[in-house]
Amino acid sequence: MWRRLRTRPSAVAAASVLALLVLLALAAPLLAALAGQDPHTYHDDLVDSARGGVPYGSFGGISADHWLGVEPGTGRDLFVRLLYGARISLLVAVGATAVQILIGVLVGLAAGLGSRWVDGLLSRVTDVFVALPFLVLAIALTAVVPRDFPRPLLLILVIGLLGWAGTSRIVRAQTLTLKSLDFVAASRLAGSGRARTARRELVPSLAAPVITYAAILVPTNIVVEASLSFLGVGVTPPTPSWGQMLSTAQTWFRADPAYVLLPAGLLFTTVLAFTVLGDAVRTALDPREASRLAVGTARAKRARKEKTS
């Protein structure tokens, strides 16, 4: 898989962008100290109160002390807040994806290996979760929880507990296909129980579709977190988040376009990189897809010519 990924320039570029974003998010405290700023300090002297709080200077108040300018109305350093916002967005997206994959794999395996009654029951439960209005329920659940509950953890739990049904369907379908194959039947005939067969025979075979689907879930969850924060039920101030910054930026997009473009551009870049990498992982994990892509290439033509000569 890694060899195939390295041969795709788009996958290398996407992985490089994501690695850079993760490193910047992890190094946020160090970079903030290097810049001499923090995400919570107000700088009232850097905004024009007569104009409603628009930053002084060009491009949102970019200067040697504030590398990407300052936040309108408060004067907080925008570069540092973007770094700390990346930590929240990536943490929520990856954590929610882990919860979705864990529940989806367990439910899908139980449905695929269980009796007809168990399969029918778990399949109907999965259908219910698929049909639920996800965003409406997420807004309702995050709104009724006390405000002192850690919001990143709440978002991880809400998104993960409401979004596992797609993974469950994929795992159940793959399990039904795999359990009829000879190596699974041989394991059952050798005396292995369902749990042992699932752990030793089915889970390794399910790794490819699950990893591929997880790569698609991460950018989706980033958008969900940004949407909830944009609607005011996600991460609460003063904790920075890209979605929260976009929510407050809607009143400043004319006076300070940079305050809108920077978090929106980072959000778009992150989602695009995860999407491109997910598509590359799907191709790398599927030999049939890779062989189909090789048909018609110069290398394949040379191989066919040498075979016929």
Side-chain angles (χ1 to χ4, degrees):
M1 183 189 75
W2 295 114
R3 184 175 64 253
R4 292 170 183 162
L5 282 177
R6 288 197 300 267
T7 61
R8 293 173 64 91
S10 59
V12 174
S16 301
V17 170
L18 293 176
L20 177 61
L21 285 171
V22 171
L23 287 176
L24 289 175
L26 293 175
L30 178 62
L31 293 174
L34 182 64
Q37 305 293 334
D38 68 81
H40 306 306
T41 300
Y42 284 46
H43 301 280
D44 296 330
D45 57 319
L46 299 178
V47 295
D48 188 356
S49 57
R51 298 173 57 197
V54 177
Y56 290 113
S58 304
F59 305 105
I62 292 178
S63 64
D65 295 326
H66 304 280
W67 300 344
L68 294 180
V70 296
E71 188 179 58
T74 63
R76 292 180 293 193
D77 187 81
L78 192 55
F79 171 71
V80 176
R81 288 186 64 80
L82 287 171
L83 291 179
Y84 278 88
R87 300 182 104 189
I88 296 297
S89 296
L90 294 175
L91 173 65
V92 171
V94 174
T97 300
V99 175
Q100 290 171 332
I101 294 298
L102 178 62
I103 298 176
V105 168
L106 292 176
V107 175
L109 281 173
L113 291 175
S115 62
R116 181 176 298 180
W117 184 86
V118 173
D119 185 18
L121 176 63
L122 294 178
S123 297
R124 298 296 78 76
V125 172
T126 303
D127 293 340
V128 169
F129 274 86
V130 170
L132 288 175
F134 178 86
L135 193 58
V136 174
L137 277 178
I139 293 173
L141 291 174
T142 51
V144 300
V145 175
R147 305 296 287 184
D148 57 349
F149 191 88
R151 305 304 285 187
L153 177 60
L154 175 62
L155 290 175
I156 290 174
L157 294 176
V158 169
I159 297 173
L161 294 175
L162 292 178
W164 54 266
T167 307
S168 176
R169 281 187 164 183
I170 292 174
V171 171
R172 174 185 175 274
Q174 292 292 323
T175 300
L176 291 175
T177 301
L178 291 171
K179 75 176 186 178
S180 61
L181 300 181
D182 292 341
F183 71 97
V184 178
S187 176
R188 297 296 298 272
L189 290 173
S192 299
R194 291 180 179 178
R196 181 181 176 86
T197 301
R199 185 178 67 254
R200 300 193 60 181
E201 306 297 341
L202 294 178
V203 171
S205 300
L206 292 169
V210 169
I211 291 174
T212 302
Y213 192 64
I216 298 173
L217 282 176
V218 172
T220 303
N221 291 335
I222 290 177
V223 175
V224 171
E225 182 276 328
S227 302
L228 293 175
S229 297
F230 179 83
L231 295 172
V233 293
V235 177
T236 55
T239 304
S241 167
W242 291 345
Q244 180 195 105
M245 296 172 72
L246 287 174
S247 177
T248 57
Q250 60 183 327
T251 59
W252 301 98
F253 68 94
R254 291 184 182 274
D256 187 9
Y259 186 46
V260 182
L261 295 176
L262 287 173
L266 284 173
L267 184 63
F268 172 78
T269 302
T270 305
V271 172
L272 179 63
F274 268 114
T275 303
V276 172
L277 184 61
D279 181 71
V281 169
R282 176 185 59 82
T283 304
L285 288 172
D286 187 358
R288 292 172 298 179
E289 183 74 14
S291 64
R292 285 194 293 268
L293 291 176
V295 174
T297 62
R299 184 176 181 180
K301 290 179 180 178
R302 287 197 302 269
R304 290 197 297 268
K305 185 177 180 180
E306 292 174 357
K307 186 176 180 180
T308 55
S309 59

